Amino acid sequence: MKAMKDMSDIPAIMTEIGRRAKAAAAELAFTPPARKTEALEAAAEAVWARRAEIVEANKQDLAFGRDKGLSDAMMDRLLLTEERIKGIVDGLRAIAGQEDPVGKVIAEWDQPSGLHIQRVRTPLGVVGVIYESRPNVTADAGALCLKSGNAVILRGGSESFHSSRAIHDCLVEGLRKAGLPEDSIQLVPTRDRAAVSALLTMTDYVDVIVPRGGKGLVGLVQREARVPVFAHLEGIVHIYIDPSADPVKALSVVMNAKTRRTGICGAAECLLIHRDAVDTIGQGVIRALVEAGVEVRADEALQAIAGTAQATEADWGCEYLDKIIAAKVVEDEDAAIAHIRQFGSDHTDCILAEDEAAIDRFVERVDSAIVMVNASTQFADGGEFGMGAEIGIATGKMHARGPVGAEQLTSFKYVVRADGAVRG
């Protein structure tokens, strides 16, 4: 992005960023797919070539995070290793290889009046992404917006300031090599929180806001934004164990869903066990969790299991993002579904079962953005869904839901063709 001299005038800086983004979006809307792919491939090459530089930038952010007293989970989100940088490169290449959604005909039909009507995918325009400690979001969000023909304004967290800037430089290098507007992917050049407030109210320039972060950030965005928001507030993820569940599968799935990475939104936070499965599968799963160092906050029916702690009402509907899980016995499947409806966050919920009728009932009646069957909830991720990456997960019911990839970053228009048709 071109230099901005006066960093103290945040409204002026953000207005200029918005103006440039809107101009870039107008050009991206009709950019050929091959050029977008070229930019993403070049960006991937730049990230890998400059990985040592990115790691050094990340060290500055880690030091800042330690001084700020970030939790272990937040520090883990912030950390970039060579392996994680390779993941960023793979994500950029995967997005580059995705089918371009822009211009795709979703539906078409003819009317007796002589009209031929097509519903065609179009970019949203300008996307604002506000995120906290994960610097990889810089690459994921930038790439997905470019792929879907949108310009993007990235506002990374103060914790990831240096890492995000190093990754952003690589994205701009890709744009430059493909001859695309460098303003297509802009990074807000200040840690000043006033930039967030400005971005949330830029109705003349921004078409949608996507927050990536904790409850505090998302709540702030949802309260203050004057443009539409794609977001989830919390990942209160449930796993229901049916009596028909396979014990080996259940143990493997629950352990992965809770312990693989505890600080992500797809981590399991509550275990619901059918009363007929308590003395068999339930006992084994809870003992394994305890042995793995997970604090199991159990209801009265499960407290006889050694190593569990007593659950309170506050544990139902709690997102721990830590090695803690709530556990509760339910009378039947409908009681599990009722619990999820009351305490869930419409993010991701799972059933472990072999009984097809039980599975069908759960899938039909649990209206979360993602409903898993015999699969770890840690698969709640756009990359794992084959989208290359995700800009976030949305739990709303308007427009975008679940992992938001390039296709969900588009809208549509109607193209109507005729041969001189007039309306009678």
Side-chain angles (χ1 to χ4, degrees), residues 314-364:
D315 287 302
W316 316 127
C318 185
E319 184 182 33
Y320 302 109
L321 299 174
D322 202 350
K323 291 188 79 172
I324 306 169
I325 194 167
K328 180 180 182 180
V329 174
V330 290
E331 282 299 302
D332 53 27
E333 183 178 13
D334 286 344
I337 292 168
H339 182 98
I340 291 168
R341 284 177 178 167
Q342 182 176 354
F343 296 105
S345 60
D346 299 329
H347 188 292
T348 301
D349 295 292
C350 170
I351 180 173
L352 299 175
E354 298 299 314
D355 180 347
E356 287 299 329
I359 291 169
D360 289 346
R361 189 178 187 86
F362 190 87
V363 168
E364 178 184 65

Side-chain angles (χ1 to χ4, degrees), residues 252-292:
S252 176
V253 168
V254 171
M255 293 303 292
N256 183 267
K258 180 69 252 184
T259 67
R260 175 186 164 270
R261 287 186 71 183
T262 59
I264 65 173
C265 60
E269 304 290 20
C270 185
L271 201 56
L272 302 172
I273 306 170
H274 191 291
R275 61 182 172 80
D276 293 341
V278 171
D279 294 332
T280 52
I281 305 169
Q283 291 263 358
V285 166
I286 290 178
R287 287 199 176 101
L289 286 165
V290 170
E291 287 172 10

Side-chain angles (χ1 to χ4, degrees), residues 157-376:
S158 58
E159 305 91 348
S160 60
F161 187 75
H162 298 287
S163 308
S164 295
R165 192 160 57 180
I167 294 168
H168 175 253
D169 286 346
C170 298
L171 298 177
V172 172
E173 186 176 325
L175 292 169
R176 194 181 301 122
K177 286 186 176 177
L180 294 180
E182 292 181 27
D183 292 333
S184 301
I185 304 173
Q186 296 182 77
L187 182 69
V188 174
T190 175
R191 284 185 166 122
D192 195 317
R193 287 180 177 271
V196 173
S197 298
L199 187 57
L200 296 179
T201 57
M202 288 168 56
T203 53
D204 289 342
Y205 300 109
V206 179
D207 294 282
V208 68
I209 294 285
V210 182
R212 283 283 298 268
K215 186 176 180 179
L217 170 67
V218 178
L220 169 76
V221 170
Q222 291 179 329
R223 285 192 307 273
E224 296 190 8
R226 289 176 55 197
V227 294
V229 176
F230 296 164
H232 73 270
L233 192 60
E234 295 175 288
I236 302 169
V237 175
H238 296 80
I239 297 179
Y240 163 63
I241 301 179
D242 189 72
S244 69
D246 179 281
V248 176
K249 290 180 195 173
L251 180 62
S252 176
V253 168
V254 171
M255 293 303 292
N256 183 267
K258 180 69 252 184
T259 67
R260 175 186 164 270
R261 287 186 71 183
T262 59
I264 65 173
C265 60
E269 304 290 20
C270 185
L271 201 56
L272 302 172
I273 306 170
H274 191 291
R275 61 182 172 80
D276 293 341
V278 171
D279 294 332
T280 52
I281 305 169
Q283 291 263 358
V285 166
I286 290 178
R287 287 199 176 101
L289 286 165
V290 170
E291 287 172 10
V294 176
E295 180 183 337
V296 179
R297 297 185 181 174
D299 72 348
E300 190 175 346
L302 295 168
Q303 282 172 30
I305 302 174
T308 59
Q310 182 176 348
T312 67
E313 278 301 310
D315 287 302
W316 316 127
C318 185
E319 184 182 33
Y320 302 109
L321 299 174
D322 202 350
K323 291 188 79 172
I324 306 169
I325 194 167
K328 180 180 182 180
V329 174
V330 290
E331 282 299 302
D332 53 27
E333 183 178 13
D334 286 344
I337 292 168
H339 182 98
I340 291 168
R341 284 177 178 167
Q342 182 176 354
F343 296 105
S345 60
D346 299 329
H347 188 292
T348 301
D349 295 292
C350 170
I351 180 173
L352 299 175
E354 298 299 314
D355 180 347
E356 287 299 329
I359 291 169
D360 289 346
R361 189 178 187 86
F362 190 87
V363 168
E364 178 184 65
R365 300 188 180 202
V366 173
D367 188 28
S368 298
I370 304 168
V371 181
M372 299 279 196
V373 178
N374 296 325
S376 170

Side-chain angles (χ1 to χ4, degrees), residues 18-264:
R19 186 189 64 76
R20 292 178 181 177
K22 192 165 185 176
E27 187 170 334
L28 287 177
F30 55 83
T31 293
R35 286 180 63 201
K36 290 186 276 185
T37 299
E38 181 187 350
L40 292 171
E41 291 285 2
E45 289 173 13
V47 169
W48 189 243
R50 298 167 67 172
R51 61 191 181 278
E53 179 185 326
I54 294 169
V55 168
E56 284 303 310
N58 186 241
K59 286 178 182 176
Q60 295 181 64
D61 290 334
L62 291 170
F64 180 85
R66 278 190 295 272
D67 291 343
K68 198 174 176 182
L70 292 186
S71 67
D72 290 344
M74 290 290 280
M75 289 294 285
D76 178 62
R77 291 182 179 197
L78 181 57
L79 175 66
L80 285 179
T81 60
E82 186 164 299
E83 182 182 359
R84 290 186 179 182
I85 292 171
K86 178 64 162 57
I88 290 173
V89 171
D90 291 344
L92 286 168
R93 289 188 170 139
I95 295 167
Q98 295 282 309
E99 182 182 1
D100 194 300
V102 180
K104 183 179 179 183
V105 177
I106 305 168
E108 60 182 317
W109 62 95
D110 293 305
Q111 287 293 94
S113 57
L115 304 182
H116 179 72
I117 303 170
Q118 294 178 313
R119 189 183 299 134
V120 181
R121 287 204 179 278
T122 59
L124 294 174
V126 177
V127 180
V129 184
I130 303 169
Y131 51 106
E132 292 182 322
S133 57
R134 286 184 181 169
N136 64 292
V137 175
T138 306
D140 291 349
L144 286 168
C145 288
L146 180 63
K147 185 71 174 184
S148 51
N150 296 291
V152 62
I153 301 170
L154 301 166
R155 203 287 182 175
S158 58
E159 305 91 348
S160 60
F161 187 75
H162 298 287
S163 308
S164 295
R165 192 160 57 180
I167 294 168
H168 175 253
D169 286 346
C170 298
L171 298 177
V172 172
E173 186 176 325
L175 292 169
R176 194 181 301 122
K177 286 186 176 177
L180 294 180
E182 292 181 27
D183 292 333
S184 301
I185 304 173
Q186 296 182 77
L187 182 69
V188 174
T190 175
R191 284 185 166 122
D192 195 317
R193 287 180 177 271
V196 173
S197 298
L199 187 57
L200 296 179
T201 57
M202 288 168 56
T203 53
D204 289 342
Y205 300 109
V206 179
D207 294 282
V208 68
I209 294 285
V210 182
R212 283 283 298 268
K215 186 176 180 179
L217 170 67
V218 178
L220 169 76
V221 170
Q222 291 179 329
R223 285 192 307 273
E224 296 190 8
R226 289 176 55 197
V227 294
V229 176
F230 296 164
H232 73 270
L233 192 60
E234 295 175 288
I236 302 169
V237 175
H238 296 80
I239 297 179
Y240 163 63
I241 301 179
D242 189 72
S244 69
D246 179 281
V248 176
K249 290 180 195 173
L251 180 62
S252 176
V253 168
V254 171
M255 293 303 292
N256 183 267
K258 180 69 252 184
T259 67
R260 175 186 164 270
R261 287 186 71 183
T262 59
I264 65 173

